[in-house]
Amino acid sequence: MADNTYFCMISFTIMRKSLLYTVVAVMTFVACSTKQEKTEDTEEEIITKKYEALGDSMLYGLACDGCSDSVLVLLPDSGGDPVNYDIVDAMRNRRVFGMPGIGDKMAVLVDTADQKKLVMAVNLELVNGTWYYLQLPEVRRPSHMADDEMTEGDGDVERMDSMVNRLMIPKEYVYTLKRDYTVKTEGGPPRVSSLDAESPVVYPAMRRYREWHVFNGKLIFTYGGVGVVGKDSIALKNDTAEFILLRPDTMVLRFPHHVIGFKLRPDTASQKGKIQLK
């Protein structure tokens, strides 16, 4: 009888431990699953909010089959079914920058008075690429040759003009606007040397942009933000430009004090391979 009681107690103890291990395993599984779900939700939320700009009224999405000169079919990034937008007025006002191709990333501004109409549309696929413009140097007269001292027929004037004409060589200022909204800068003025102070021409400085974004229909370029150990860091600054023209090989932008016409590098154009609506 004592042996039976002993074995019953052992069996009960084993069952109790087995039950305890099972409960712990279940609780651990549930906790891990909940944590994983929360982590996935958090990561998704972060990714979703990463590309949202506070105050931006533009909608983003993909152009779908059915686009024409009068209709833009947009699949919104926010989800849902494709939406048909009337772009007749936007086309008439030349506010459609780049005709949409199937699958192209688009940024649009909806008419506040009519939610089925667009006041502006930008084909972001066309914005991506390597753009350049040619910059001529500016004439810089030496300090010892003031304009009021230089007269017609003066030998110094003739020599200066001849030298300037030989030095009027355009330089490429190149910007690569990438899909991750970063900018790669190439070209620009040559490196400064001790002889530049005596040169009769000088190239304008080139802005070294780091990022680009479309915000409320305008193109925003960001530069600066480079810190130097032991020195004051350079704060981030923005240049704002308005679209004037956007075609597969041409982009014209209006900055506050000047207008720049960019050309797309031929090797970039061959890589895009987009379907453009004629």
Side-chain angles (χ1 to χ4, degrees):
M1 182 67 178
D3 293 339
N4 292 336
T5 304
Y6 176 75
F7 286 117
C8 287
M9 291 177 64
I10 293 178
S11 301
F12 176 77
T13 303
I14 294 174
M15 291 176 61
R16 186 170 59 180
K17 289 184 178 181
S18 300
L19 180 60
L20 179 61
Y21 293 152
T22 303
V23 171
V24 172
V26 171
M27 292 177 64
T28 303
F29 175 79
V30 172
C32 292
S33 300
T34 305
K35 183 177 180 180
Q36 184 177 4
E37 291 176 359
K38 289 183 178 180
T39 303
E40 292 176 354
D41 293 341
T42 303
E43 291 178 350
E44 182 178 357
E45 183 179 359
I46 292 174
I47 294 173
T48 301
K49 291 183 177 181
K50 183 177 180 180
Y51 300 102
E52 292 180 357
L54 185 63
D56 188 10
S57 301
M58 302 200 79
L59 299 180
Y60 301 86
L62 300 178
C64 300
D65 188 17
C67 294
S68 67
D69 292 340
S70 59
V71 176
L72 171 60
V73 184
L74 185 74
L75 179 64
D77 286 349
S78 57
D81 298 327
V83 182
N84 291 2
Y85 289 106
D86 183 346
I87 60 172
V88 173
D89 291 342
M91 289 285 292
R92 184 182 299 115
N93 297 327
R94 298 182 179 180
R95 302 295 291 169
V96 176
F97 298 99
M99 291 303 297
I102 299 174
D104 283 353
K105 182 75 172 181
M106 302 293 298
V108 302
L109 277 176
V110 180
D111 190 344
T112 55
D114 188 346
Q115 296 295 314
K116 291 298 183 181
K117 289 185 177 182
L118 297 182
V119 296
M120 182 181 185
V122 180
N123 189 331
L124 298 181
E125 297 293 337
L126 291 183
V127 179
N128 294 322
T130 299
W131 301 93
Y132 73 95
Y133 67 94
L134 298 178
Q135 177 66 57
L136 288 171
E138 299 173 351
V139 177
R140 179 175 60 187
R141 299 289 183 181
S143 58
H144 67 279
M145 297 177 62
D147 290 339
D148 56 357
E149 298 177 355
M150 302 173 68
T151 58
E152 193 70 25
D154 191 341
D156 289 339
V157 175
E158 294 178 356
R159 285 192 295 272
M160 173 64 68
D161 290 342
S162 176
M163 183 182 300
V164 167
N165 289 334
R166 291 198 302 270
L167 295 176
M168 279 295 175
I169 302 173
K171 298 288 186 182
E172 282 192 352
Y173 287 44
V174 186
Y175 297 99
T176 300
L177 278 59
K178 301 182 180 181
R179 294 180 181 275
D180 61 357
Y181 301 102
T182 60
V183 180
K184 180 182 178 182
T185 307
E186 301 175 82
R191 292 183 178 273
V192 179
S193 67
S194 58
L195 300 177
D196 289 339
E198 302 298 327
S199 175
V201 298
V202 58
Y203 288 90
M206 182 183 186
R207 195 82 85 190
R208 301 288 172 174
Y209 295 125
R210 301 178 60 189
E211 297 180 0
W212 71 275
H213 297 280
V214 174
F215 184 83
N216 286 335
K218 297 182 179 180
L219 194 55
I220 309 296
F221 293 101
T222 302
Y223 64 97
V226 180
V228 180
V229 177
K231 298 183 179 180
D232 295 334
S233 60
I234 303 174
L236 283 173
K237 298 181 181 180
N238 294 325
D239 278 347
T240 303
E242 297 181 8
F243 288 100
I244 298 179
L245 180 68
L246 182 60
R247 292 178 178 172
D249 61 347
T250 306
M251 179 170 62
V252 182
L253 301 177
R254 178 185 287 114
F255 291 84
H257 304 293
H258 59 282
V259 175
I260 299 181
F262 295 87
K263 297 294 291 183
L264 187 71
R265 276 192 169 173
D267 54 342
T268 306
S270 63
Q271 294 173 4
K272 286 193 173 183
K274 290 183 293 294
I275 303 175
Q276 289 294 320
L277 298 178
K278 304 298 183 181

